[in-house]
PDB file of all heavy atoms in Angstrom:
ATOM      1  N   ALA A  26     101.868  76.035 100.975  1.00  0.00           N
ATOM      2  CA  ALA A  26     102.240  77.371 101.449  1.00  0.00           C
ATOM      3  C   ALA A  26     103.081  78.148 100.449  1.00  0.00           C
ATOM      4  O   ALA A  26     103.709  79.147 100.808  1.00  0.00           O
ATOM      5  CB  ALA A  26     102.965  77.299 102.803  1.00  0.00           C
ATOM      6  N   SER A  27     103.077  77.731  99.181  1.00  0.00           N
ATOM      7  CA  SER A  27     103.848  78.455  98.172  1.00  0.00           C
ATOM      8  C   SER A  27     103.105  79.683  97.650  1.00  0.00           C
ATOM      9  O   SER A  27     103.715  80.567  97.058  1.00  0.00           O
ATOM     10  CB  SER A  27     104.209  77.534  97.002  1.00  0.00           C
ATOM     11  OG  SER A  27     103.045  77.123  96.309  1.00  0.00           O
ATOM     12  N   GLY A  28     101.760  79.710  97.821  1.00  0.00           N
ATOM     13  CA  GLY A  28     100.994  80.880  97.405  1.00  0.00           C
ATOM     14  C   GLY A  28     100.031  80.661  96.252  1.00  0.00           C
ATOM     15  O   GLY A  28      99.406  81.614  95.784  1.00  0.00           O
ATOM     16  N   LYS A  29      99.882  79.405  95.801  1.00  0.00           N
ATOM     17  CA  LYS A  29      98.986  79.165  94.663  1.00  0.00           C
ATOM     18  C   LYS A  29      97.535  79.514  95.001  1.00  0.00           C
ATOM     19  O   LYS A  29      96.811  80.057  94.156  1.00  0.00           O
ATOM     20  CB  LYS A  29      99.102  77.726  94.164  1.00  0.00           C
ATOM     21  CG  LYS A  29      98.729  76.639  95.142  1.00  0.00           C
ATOM     22  CD  LYS A  29      98.963  75.276  94.535  1.00  0.00           C
ATOM     23  CE  LYS A  29      98.566  74.175  95.519  1.00  0.00           C
ATOM     24  NZ  LYS A  29      99.430  74.199  96.738  1.00  0.00           N
ATOM     25  N   THR A  30      97.111  79.206  96.228  1.00  0.00           N
ATOM     26  CA  THR A  30      95.750  79.555  96.639  1.00  0.00           C
ATOM     27  C   THR A  30      95.557  81.070  96.684  1.00  0.00           C
ATOM     28  O   THR A  30      94.470  81.582  96.408  1.00  0.00           O
ATOM     29  CB  THR A  30      95.429  78.936  98.011  1.00  0.00           C
ATOM     30  OG1 THR A  30      95.383  77.509  97.883  1.00  0.00           O
ATOM     31  CG2 THR A  30      94.076  79.409  98.530  1.00  0.00           C
ATOM     32  N   ASN A  31      96.630  81.796  97.008  1.00  0.00           N
ATOM     33  CA  ASN A  31      96.537  83.253  97.097  1.00  0.00           C
ATOM     34  C   ASN A  31      96.228  83.896  95.751  1.00  0.00           C
ATOM     35  O   ASN A  31      95.638  84.978  95.692  1.00  0.00           O
ATOM     36  CB  ASN A  31      97.818  83.834  97.687  1.00  0.00           C
ATOM     37  CG  ASN A  31      98.013  83.441  99.137  1.00  0.00           C
ATOM     38  OD1 ASN A  31      97.059  83.072  99.823  1.00  0.00           O
ATOM     39  ND2 ASN A  31      99.251  83.509  99.621  1.00  0.00           N
ATOM     40  N   LEU A  32      96.638  83.250  94.664  1.00  0.00           N
ATOM     41  CA  LEU A  32      96.275  83.759  93.340  1.00  0.00           C
ATOM     42  C   LEU A  32      94.761  83.710  93.164  1.00  0.00           C
ATOM     43  O   LEU A  32      94.138  84.673  92.706  1.00  0.00           O
ATOM     44  CB  LEU A  32      96.959  82.944  92.249  1.00  0.00           C
ATOM     45  CG  LEU A  32      96.540  83.282  90.805  1.00  0.00           C
ATOM     46  CD1 LEU A  32      96.902  84.713  90.464  1.00  0.00           C
ATOM     47  CD2 LEU A  32      97.169  82.308  89.817  1.00  0.00           C
ATOM     48  N   LEU A  33      94.152  82.614  93.539  1.00  0.00           N
ATOM     49  CA  LEU A  33      92.700  82.495  93.433  1.00  0.00           C
ATOM     50  C   LEU A  33      92.001  83.420  94.423  1.00  0.00           C
ATOM     51  O   LEU A  33      90.909  83.927  94.149  1.00  0.00           O
ATOM     52  CB  LEU A  33      92.261  81.044  93.657  1.00  0.00           C
ATOM     53  CG  LEU A  33      92.371  80.136  92.421  1.00  0.00           C
ATOM     54  CD1 LEU A  33      93.824  79.853  92.049  1.00  0.00           C
ATOM     55  CD2 LEU A  33      91.633  78.819  92.638  1.00  0.00           C
ATOM     56  N   LYS A  34      92.643  83.655  95.583  1.00  0.00           N
ATOM     57  CA  LYS A  34      92.069  84.589  96.561  1.00  0.00           C
ATOM     58  C   LYS A  34      92.030  86.011  96.021  1.00  0.00           C
ATOM     59  O   LYS A  34      91.173  86.814  96.412  1.00  0.00           O
ATOM     60  CB  LYS A  34      92.861  84.533  97.865  1.00  0.00           C
ATOM     61  CG  LYS A  34      92.565  83.312  98.722  1.00  0.00           C
ATOM     62  CD  LYS A  34      93.329  83.365 100.039  1.00  0.00           C
ATOM     63  CE  LYS A  34      92.979  82.171 100.919  1.00  0.00           C
ATOM     64  NZ  LYS A  34      93.710  82.198 102.216  1.00  0.00           N
ATOM     65  N   ALA A  35      92.958  86.353  95.139  1.00  0.00           N
ATOM     66  CA  ALA A  35      92.956  87.685  94.527  1.00  0.00           C
ATOM     67  C   ALA A  35      91.693  87.880  93.685  1.00  0.00           C
ATOM     68  O   ALA A  35      91.043  88.932  93.734  1.00  0.00           O
ATOM     69  CB  ALA A  35      94.209  87.879  93.677  1.00  0.00           C
ATOM     70  N   PHE A  36      91.343  86.853  92.898  1.00  0.00           N
ATOM     71  CA  PHE A  36      90.110  86.917  92.113  1.00  0.00           C
ATOM     72  C   PHE A  36      88.888  86.960  93.030  1.00  0.00           C
ATOM     73  O   PHE A  36      87.936  87.700  92.772  1.00  0.00           O
ATOM     74  CB  PHE A  36      90.015  85.722  91.167  1.00  0.00           C
ATOM     75  CG  PHE A  36      90.935  85.800  89.982  1.00  0.00           C
ATOM     76  CD1 PHE A  36      92.143  85.127  89.985  1.00  0.00           C
ATOM     77  CD2 PHE A  36      90.590  86.549  88.870  1.00  0.00           C
ATOM     78  CE1 PHE A  36      92.996  85.205  88.888  1.00  0.00           C
ATOM     79  CE2 PHE A  36      91.445  86.626  87.769  1.00  0.00           C
ATOM     80  CZ  PHE A  36      92.642  85.951  87.784  1.00  0.00           C
ATOM     81  N   LYS A  37      88.921  86.175  94.097  1.00  0.00           N
ATOM     82  CA  LYS A  37      87.804  86.159  95.041  1.00  0.00           C
ATOM     83  C   LYS A  37      87.654  87.510  95.735  1.00  0.00           C
ATOM     84  O   LYS A  37      86.533  87.999  95.919  1.00  0.00           O
ATOM     85  CB  LYS A  37      87.996  85.057  96.080  1.00  0.00           C
ATOM     86  CG  LYS A  37      86.902  85.035  97.154  1.00  0.00           C
ATOM     87  CD  LYS A  37      87.016  83.855  98.078  1.00  0.00           C
ATOM     88  CE  LYS A  37      86.054  83.976  99.252  1.00  0.00           C
ATOM     89  NZ  LYS A  37      84.653  84.211  98.823  1.00  0.00           N
ATOM     90  N   PHE A  38      88.781  88.106  96.117  1.00  0.00           N
ATOM     91  CA  PHE A  38      88.716  89.411  96.761  1.00  0.00           C
ATOM     92  C   PHE A  38      88.021  90.430  95.859  1.00  0.00           C
ATOM     93  O   PHE A  38      87.148  91.189  96.307  1.00  0.00           O
ATOM     94  CB  PHE A  38      90.110  89.919  97.132  1.00  0.00           C
ATOM     95  CG  PHE A  38      90.102  91.370  97.566  1.00  0.00           C
ATOM     96  CD1 PHE A  38      89.683  91.720  98.837  1.00  0.00           C
ATOM     97  CD2 PHE A  38      90.464  92.374  96.680  1.00  0.00           C
ATOM     98  CE1 PHE A  38      89.632  93.054  99.220  1.00  0.00           C
ATOM     99  CE2 PHE A  38      90.416  93.712  97.063  1.00  0.00           C
ATOM    100  CZ  PHE A  38      90.002  94.052  98.333  1.00  0.00           C
ATOM    101  N   LEU A  39      88.420  90.472  94.586  1.00  0.00           N
ATOM    102  CA  LEU A  39      87.814  91.417  93.660  1.00  0.00           C
ATOM    103  C   LEU A  39      86.315  91.168  93.528  1.00  0.00           C
ATOM    104  O   LEU A  39      85.519  92.110  93.558  1.00  0.00           O
ATOM    105  CB  LEU A  39      88.489  91.322  92.294  1.00  0.00           C
ATOM    106  CG  LEU A  39      89.910  91.883  92.205  1.00  0.00           C
ATOM    107  CD1 LEU A  39      90.518  91.576  90.843  1.00  0.00           C
ATOM    108  CD2 LEU A  39      89.933  93.393  92.471  1.00  0.00           C
ATOM    109  N   LYS A  40      85.910  89.921  93.370  1.00  0.00           N
ATOM    110  CA  LYS A  40      84.493  89.575  93.247  1.00  0.00           C
ATOM    111  C   LYS A  40      83.710  90.066  94.459  1.00  0.00           C
ATOM    112  O   LYS A  40      82.631  90.655  94.323  1.00  0.00           O
ATOM    113  CB  LYS A  40      84.340  88.062  93.078  1.00  0.00           C
ATOM    114  CG  LYS A  40      82.894  87.549  93.088  1.00  0.00           C
ATOM    115  CD  LYS A  40      82.135  87.968  91.853  1.00  0.00           C
ATOM    116  CE  LYS A  40      80.751  87.346  91.848  1.00  0.00           C
ATOM    117  NZ  LYS A  40      79.939  87.764  90.671  1.00  0.00           N
ATOM    118  N   ASP A  41      84.237  89.814  95.651  1.00  0.00           N
ATOM    119  CA  ASP A  41      83.565  90.228  96.882  1.00  0.00           C
ATOM    120  C   ASP A  41      83.541  91.754  97.014  1.00  0.00           C
ATOM    121  O   ASP A  41      82.537  92.343  97.421  1.00  0.00           O
ATOM    122  CB  ASP A  41      84.252  89.613  98.100  1.00  0.00           C
ATOM    123  CG  ASP A  41      84.111  88.099  98.149  1.00  0.00           C
ATOM    124  OD1 ASP A  41      83.215  87.554  97.473  1.00  0.00           O
ATOM    125  OD2 ASP A  41      84.909  87.454  98.863  1.00  0.00           O
ATOM    126  N   PHE A  42      84.648  92.384  96.679  1.00  0.00           N
ATOM    127  CA  PHE A  42      84.778  93.825  96.856  1.00  0.00           C
ATOM    128  C   PHE A  42      83.865  94.614  95.927  1.00  0.00           C
ATOM    129  O   PHE A  42      83.274  95.623  96.339  1.00  0.00           O
ATOM    130  CB  PHE A  42      86.236  94.250  96.640  1.00  0.00           C
ATOM    131  CG  PHE A  42      86.464  95.729  96.680  1.00  0.00           C
ATOM    132  CD1 PHE A  42      86.449  96.415  97.879  1.00  0.00           C
ATOM    133  CD2 PHE A  42      86.683  96.452  95.517  1.00  0.00           C
ATOM    134  CE1 PHE A  42      86.640  97.792  97.925  1.00  0.00           C
ATOM    135  CE2 PHE A  42      86.888  97.822  95.543  1.00  0.00           C
ATOM    136  CZ  PHE A  42      86.859  98.493  96.747  1.00  0.00           C
ATOM    137  N   TRP A  43      83.734  94.174  94.691  1.00  0.00           N
ATOM    138  CA  TRP A  43      82.985  94.944  93.709  1.00  0.00           C
ATOM    139  C   TRP A  43      81.557  95.243  94.133  1.00  0.00           C
ATOM    140  O   TRP A  43      81.043  96.318  93.875  1.00  0.00           O
ATOM    141  CB  TRP A  43      82.975  94.201  92.364  1.00  0.00           C
ATOM    142  CG  TRP A  43      84.248  94.330  91.596  1.00  0.00           C
ATOM    143  CD1 TRP A  43      85.070  95.417  91.550  1.00  0.00           C
ATOM    144  CD2 TRP A  43      84.844  93.336  90.752  1.00  0.00           C
ATOM    145  NE1 TRP A  43      86.141  95.162  90.729  1.00  0.00           N
ATOM    146  CE2 TRP A  43      86.032  93.894  90.222  1.00  0.00           C
ATOM    147  CE3 TRP A  43      84.491  92.047  90.384  1.00  0.00           C
ATOM    148  CZ2 TRP A  43      86.857  93.191  89.364  1.00  0.00           C
ATOM    149  CZ3 TRP A  43      85.320  91.345  89.527  1.00  0.00           C
ATOM    150  CH2 TRP A  43      86.498  91.918  89.024  1.00  0.00           C
ATOM    151  N   PHE A  44      80.896  94.305  94.783  1.00  0.00           N
ATOM    152  CA  PHE A  44      79.476  94.475  95.047  1.00  0.00           C
ATOM    153  C   PHE A  44      79.098  94.417  96.525  1.00  0.00           C
ATOM    154  O   PHE A  44      77.928  94.266  96.855  1.00  0.00           O
ATOM    155  CB  PHE A  44      78.678  93.444  94.254  1.00  0.00           C
ATOM    156  CG  PHE A  44      78.839  93.603  92.770  1.00  0.00           C
ATOM    157  CD1 PHE A  44      79.635  92.731  92.039  1.00  0.00           C
ATOM    158  CD2 PHE A  44      78.229  94.649  92.099  1.00  0.00           C
ATOM    159  CE1 PHE A  44      79.810  92.901  90.674  1.00  0.00           C
ATOM    160  CE2 PHE A  44      78.388  94.820  90.731  1.00  0.00           C
ATOM    161  CZ  PHE A  44      79.177  93.947  90.021  1.00  0.00           C
ATOM    162  N   LYS A  45      80.085  94.573  97.401  1.00  0.00           N
ATOM    163  CA  LYS A  45      79.787  94.605  98.826  1.00  0.00           C
ATOM    164  C   LYS A  45      79.431  96.027  99.250  1.00  0.00           C
ATOM    165  O   LYS A  45      80.258  96.932  99.206  1.00  0.00           O
ATOM    166  CB  LYS A  45      80.963  94.097  99.647  1.00  0.00           C
ATOM    167  CG  LYS A  45      80.643  94.058 101.149  1.00  0.00           C
ATOM    168  CD  LYS A  45      81.791  93.500 101.964  1.00  0.00           C
ATOM    169  CE  LYS A  45      81.412  93.454 103.440  1.00  0.00           C
ATOM    170  NZ  LYS A  45      82.445  92.911 104.271  1.00  0.00           N
ATOM    171  N   LYS A  46      78.194  96.203  99.673  1.00  0.00           N
ATOM    172  CA  LYS A  46      77.748  97.499 100.163  1.00  0.00           C
ATOM    173  C   LYS A  46      78.162  97.656 101.623  1.00  0.00           C
ATOM    174  O   LYS A  46      77.796  96.846 102.472  1.00  0.00           O
ATOM    175  CB  LYS A  46      76.228  97.620 100.029  1.00  0.00           C
ATOM    176  CG  LYS A  46      75.679  98.952 100.520  1.00  0.00           C
ATOM    177  CD  LYS A  46      74.162  98.968 100.481  1.00  0.00           C
ATOM    178  CE  LYS A  46      73.634 100.250 101.107  1.00  0.00           C
ATOM    179  NZ  LYS A  46      72.150 100.265 101.151  1.00  0.00           N
ATOM    180  N   GLN A  47      78.939  98.671 101.909  1.00  0.00           N
ATOM    181  CA  GLN A  47      79.380  98.939 103.270  1.00  0.00           C
ATOM    182  C   GLN A  47      78.348  99.777 104.006  1.00  0.00           C
ATOM    183  O   GLN A  47      77.755 100.704 103.432  1.00  0.00           O
ATOM    184  CB  GLN A  47      80.727  99.661 103.265  1.00  0.00           C
ATOM    185  CG  GLN A  47      81.869  98.872 102.621  1.00  0.00           C
ATOM    186  CD  GLN A  47      82.398  97.769 103.513  1.00  0.00           C
ATOM    187  OE1 GLN A  47      81.805  97.442 104.558  1.00  0.00           O
ATOM    188  NE2 GLN A  47      83.517  97.184 103.146  1.00  0.00           N
ATOM    189  N   SER A  48      78.126  99.459 105.288  1.00  0.00           N
ATOM    190  CA  SER A  48      77.156 100.220 106.086  1.00  0.00           C
ATOM    191  C   SER A  48      77.756 101.494 106.653  1.00  0.00           C
ATOM    192  O   SER A  48      77.041 102.462 106.907  1.00  0.00           O
ATOM    193  CB  SER A  48      76.613  99.345 107.218  1.00  0.00           C
ATOM    194  OG  SER A  48      77.669  98.845 108.023  1.00  0.00           O
ATOM    195  N   ASN A  49      79.070 101.491 106.858  1.00  0.00           N
ATOM    196  CA  ASN A  49      79.738 102.701 107.311  1.00  0.00           C
ATOM    197  C   ASN A  49      81.160 102.733 106.780  1.00  0.00           C
ATOM    198  O   ASN A  49      81.673 101.715 106.299  1.00  0.00           O
ATOM    199  CB  ASN A  49      79.718 102.823 108.840  1.00  0.00           C
ATOM    200  CG  ASN A  49      80.501 101.713 109.523  1.00  0.00           C
ATOM    201  OD1 ASN A  49      81.739 101.712 109.502  1.00  0.00           O
ATOM    202  ND2 ASN A  49      79.789 100.755 110.123  1.00  0.00           N
ATOM    203  N   ALA A  50      81.791 103.875 106.899  1.00  0.00           N
ATOM    204  CA  ALA A  50      83.114 104.076 106.303  1.00  0.00           C
ATOM    205  C   ALA A  50      84.254 103.591 107.184  1.00  0.00           C
ATOM    206  O   ALA A  50      85.426 103.751 106.820  1.00  0.00           O
ATOM    207  CB  ALA A  50      83.309 105.554 105.979  1.00  0.00           C
ATOM    208  N   TYR A  51      83.937 102.974 108.331  1.00  0.00           N
ATOM    209  CA  TYR A  51      84.973 102.612 109.290  1.00  0.00           C
ATOM    210  C   TYR A  51      85.243 101.113 109.357  1.00  0.00           C
ATOM    211  O   TYR A  51      86.045 100.658 110.156  1.00  0.00           O
ATOM    212  CB  TYR A  51      84.586 103.125 110.680  1.00  0.00           C
ATOM    213  CG  TYR A  51      84.293 104.609 110.694  1.00  0.00           C
ATOM    214  CD1 TYR A  51      82.974 105.071 110.748  1.00  0.00           C
ATOM    215  CD2 TYR A  51      85.323 105.538 110.631  1.00  0.00           C
ATOM    216  CE1 TYR A  51      82.698 106.421 110.741  1.00  0.00           C
ATOM    217  CE2 TYR A  51      85.055 106.898 110.623  1.00  0.00           C
ATOM    218  CZ  TYR A  51      83.742 107.333 110.673  1.00  0.00           C
ATOM    219  OH  TYR A  51      83.482 108.685 110.655  1.00  0.00           O
ATOM    220  N   ASP A  52      84.588 100.349 108.492  1.00  0.00           N
ATOM    221  CA  ASP A  52      84.754  98.898 108.529  1.00  0.00           C
ATOM    222  C   ASP A  52      85.985  98.410 107.770  1.00  0.00           C
ATOM    223  O   ASP A  52      86.339  97.242 107.846  1.00  0.00           O
ATOM    224  CB  ASP A  52      83.515  98.211 107.951  1.00  0.00           C
ATOM    225  CG  ASP A  52      82.314  98.333 108.859  1.00  0.00           C
ATOM    226  OD1 ASP A  52      82.505  98.566 110.065  1.00  0.00           O
ATOM    227  OD2 ASP A  52      81.176  98.201 108.368  1.00  0.00           O
ATOM    228  N   GLY A  53      86.633  99.294 107.033  1.00  0.00           N
ATOM    229  CA  GLY A  53      87.803  98.903 106.267  1.00  0.00           C
ATOM    230  C   GLY A  53      87.446  98.266 104.934  1.00  0.00           C
ATOM    231  O   GLY A  53      86.270  98.068 104.607  1.00  0.00           O
ATOM    232  N   THR A  54      88.459  97.915 104.158  1.00  0.00           N
ATOM    233  CA  THR A  54      88.256  97.375 102.815  1.00  0.00           C
ATOM    234  C   THR A  54      88.393  95.858 102.748  1.00  0.00           C
ATOM    235  O   THR A  54      88.098  95.258 101.711  1.00  0.00           O
ATOM    236  CB  THR A  54      89.278  97.982 101.844  1.00  0.00           C
ATOM    237  OG1 THR A  54      90.610  97.615 102.266  1.00  0.00           O
ATOM    238  CG2 THR A  54      89.160  99.503 101.798  1.00  0.00           C
ATOM    239  N   ASN A  55      88.877  95.234 103.821  1.00  0.00           N
ATOM    240  CA  ASN A  55      89.087  93.783 103.895  1.00  0.00           C
ATOM    241  C   ASN A  55      90.251  93.298 103.033  1.00  0.00           C
ATOM    242  O   ASN A  55      90.436  92.083 102.884  1.00  0.00           O
ATOM    243  CB  ASN A  55      87.813  93.016 103.516  1.00  0.00           C
ATOM    244  CG  ASN A  55      86.686  93.237 104.499  1.00  0.00           C
ATOM    245  OD1 ASN A  55      86.889  93.263 105.708  1.00  0.00           O
ATOM    246  ND2 ASN A  55      85.474  93.434 103.976  1.00  0.00           N
ATOM    247  N   VAL A  56      91.038  94.197 102.474  1.00  0.00           N
ATOM    248  CA  VAL A  56      92.206  93.769 101.720  1.00  0.00           C
ATOM    249  C   VAL A  56      93.290  93.309 102.692  1.00  0.00           C
ATOM    250  O   VAL A  56      93.389  93.800 103.816  1.00  0.00           O
ATOM    251  CB  VAL A  56      92.735  94.905 100.809  1.00  0.00           C
ATOM    252  CG1 VAL A  56      93.493  95.961 101.612  1.00  0.00           C
ATOM    253  CG2 VAL A  56      93.629  94.344  99.721  1.00  0.00           C
ATOM    254  N   LYS A  57      94.097  92.328 102.260  1.00  0.00           N
ATOM    255  CA  LYS A  57      95.152  91.781 103.099  1.00  0.00           C
ATOM    256  C   LYS A  57      96.505  91.989 102.435  1.00  0.00           C
ATOM    257  O   LYS A  57      96.876  91.245 101.525  1.00  0.00           O
ATOM    258  CB  LYS A  57      94.903  90.295 103.354  1.00  0.00           C
ATOM    259  CG  LYS A  57      93.629  90.017 104.144  1.00  0.00           C
ATOM    260  CD  LYS A  57      93.436  88.525 104.377  1.00  0.00           C
ATOM    261  CE  LYS A  57      92.172  88.253 105.183  1.00  0.00           C
ATOM    262  NZ  LYS A  57      91.958  86.799 105.399  1.00  0.00           N
ATOM    263  N   PRO A  58      97.263  92.971 102.891  1.00  0.00           N
ATOM    264  CA  PRO A  58      98.583  93.217 102.295  1.00  0.00           C
ATOM    265  C   PRO A  58      99.614  92.190 102.770  1.00  0.00           C
ATOM    266  O   PRO A  58      99.341  91.404 103.684  1.00  0.00           O
ATOM    267  CB  PRO A  58      98.941  94.619 102.808  1.00  0.00           C
ATOM    268  CG  PRO A  58      98.225  94.700 104.131  1.00  0.00           C
ATOM    269  CD  PRO A  58      96.945  93.942 103.954  1.00  0.00           C
ATOM    270  N   PHE A  59     100.774  92.207 102.143  1.00  0.00           N
ATOM    271  CA  PHE A  59     101.894  91.377 102.571  1.00  0.00           C
ATOM    272  C   PHE A  59     102.335  91.835 103.964  1.00  0.00           C
ATOM    273  O   PHE A  59     102.651  93.004 104.169  1.00  0.00           O
ATOM    274  CB  PHE A  59     103.042  91.508 101.574  1.00  0.00           C
ATOM    275  CG  PHE A  59     104.237  90.651 101.893  1.00  0.00           C
ATOM    276  CD1 PHE A  59     104.232  89.295 101.593  1.00  0.00           C
ATOM    277  CD2 PHE A  59     105.364  91.199 102.479  1.00  0.00           C
ATOM    278  CE1 PHE A  59     105.340  88.503 101.874  1.00  0.00           C
ATOM    279  CE2 PHE A  59     106.475  90.416 102.768  1.00  0.00           C
ATOM    280  CZ  PHE A  59     106.453  89.060 102.460  1.00  0.00           C
ATOM    281  N   LYS A  60     102.358  90.919 104.932  1.00  0.00           N
ATOM    282  CA  LYS A  60     102.581  91.299 106.321  1.00  0.00           C
ATOM    283  C   LYS A  60     103.932  90.888 106.879  1.00  0.00           C
ATOM    284  O   LYS A  60     104.214  91.127 108.058  1.00  0.00           O
ATOM    285  CB  LYS A  60     101.462  90.740 107.197  1.00  0.00           C
ATOM    286  CG  LYS A  60     100.097  91.369 106.919  1.00  0.00           C
ATOM    287  CD  LYS A  60      99.054  90.938 107.914  1.00  0.00           C
ATOM    288  CE  LYS A  60      97.741  91.676 107.671  1.00  0.00           C
ATOM    289  NZ  LYS A  60      96.697  91.311 108.664  1.00  0.00           N
ATOM    290  N   LEU A  61     104.776  90.282 106.054  1.00  0.00           N
ATOM    291  CA  LEU A  61     106.088  89.869 106.545  1.00  0.00           C
ATOM    292  C   LEU A  61     107.140  90.932 106.265  1.00  0.00           C
ATOM    293  O   LEU A  61     108.324  90.641 106.099  1.00  0.00           O
ATOM    294  CB  LEU A  61     106.483  88.532 105.901  1.00  0.00           C
ATOM    295  CG  LEU A  61     105.506  87.377 106.143  1.00  0.00           C
ATOM    296  CD1 LEU A  61     106.002  86.106 105.485  1.00  0.00           C
ATOM    297  CD2 LEU A  61     105.285  87.156 107.640  1.00  0.00           C
TER     298      LEU A  61
END
């Protein structure tokens, strides 16, 4: 729970985001901000 996996998730997020075609503008971006 120190956040090492979150570093790799940042790369994964970018990979997914770059080429994901959205069907409508209301589905959001799927980004996960700091929530605490």
Side-chain angles (χ1 to χ4, degrees):
S27 65
K29 62 183 181 296
T30 293
N31 293 339
L32 174 63
L33 278 70
K34 283 183 177 180
F36 286 99
K37 177 174 171 53
F38 169 78
L39 288 173
K40 174 69 175 178
D41 294 341
F42 175 75
W43 282 325
F44 298 105
K45 183 178 181 179
K46 180 185 174 183
Q47 299 284 10
S48 56
N49 64 74
Y51 305 104
D52 289 338
T54 62
N55 295 319
V56 76
K57 296 180 179 179
F59 182 79
K60 293 188 175 182
L61 302 181

